[in-house]
Amino acid sequence: LKPDYSLHEELSIGRTTVVRAALESLAHERGHAAEALRKEYRAEEQIAQDNANPQAETEYDRLRRKSVVAQRAALFDLRCSGSIAEDVFHRLEEELDWLELAATPPDDLALDDS
């Protein structure tokens, strides 16, 4: 039996299509934010076209996760020093959780059975 790569091929088609739709939606947008987002989507598009690993991490993802680590440390320091209330800490922690999750390739996510 030869390996079945149809899942990766379909993921590649799907991811490429949705990234291109995002790029098209920004076609008439101007400014630094629009250009930065276009660059990020182009990086995603390049990876999405790889049938072997269409959900690999981009350089943006790697850097975003690195910055989340620094943000978590700063947030923890604020909490420990009493500069922010517990509810504020948890709200900001949740924002960082979502950021980290969005920057993590699906293949790197796993449920912990422990």
Side-chain angles (χ1 to χ4, degrees):
L1 292 174
K2 65 180 191 176
D4 180 7
Y5 297 108
S6 61
L7 173 65
H8 288 294
E9 290 168 3
E10 289 184 26
L11 282 170
S12 178
I13 291 167
R15 286 181 59 82
T16 300
T17 300
V18 299
V19 168
R20 286 181 180 160
L23 284 166
E24 288 175 20
S25 76
L26 298 172
H28 301 292
E29 297 292 332
R30 300 290 171 247
H32 296 295
E35 187 54 36
L37 198 50
R38 276 192 284 274
K39 285 180 181 180
E40 188 170 344
Y41 279 130
R42 285 185 197 115
E44 285 185 30
E45 180 182 31
Q46 185 176 10
I47 287 173
Q49 293 173 354
D50 177 3
N51 284 342
N53 194 4
Q55 293 181 301
E57 125 182 301
T58 66
E59 184 67 6
Y60 292 95
D61 295 332
R62 185 188 69 75
L63 293 172
R64 190 168 284 119
R65 284 197 319 278
K66 179 181 177 180
S67 69
V68 167
V69 170
Q71 291 176 61
R72 284 188 192 284
L75 182 60
F76 185 75
D77 289 345
L78 286 173
R79 178 188 191 194
C80 289
S81 70
S83 298
I84 59 173
E86 195 70 17
D87 57 334
V88 173
F89 170 81
H90 288 295
R91 185 170 182 168
L92 293 172
E93 181 182 44
E94 181 180 11
E95 289 177 16
L96 292 175
D97 291 345
W98 284 111
L99 260 174
E100 184 176 21
L101 183 61
T104 303
D107 289 344
D108 291 355
L109 297 173
L111 295 175
D112 187 3
D113 291 338
S114 55

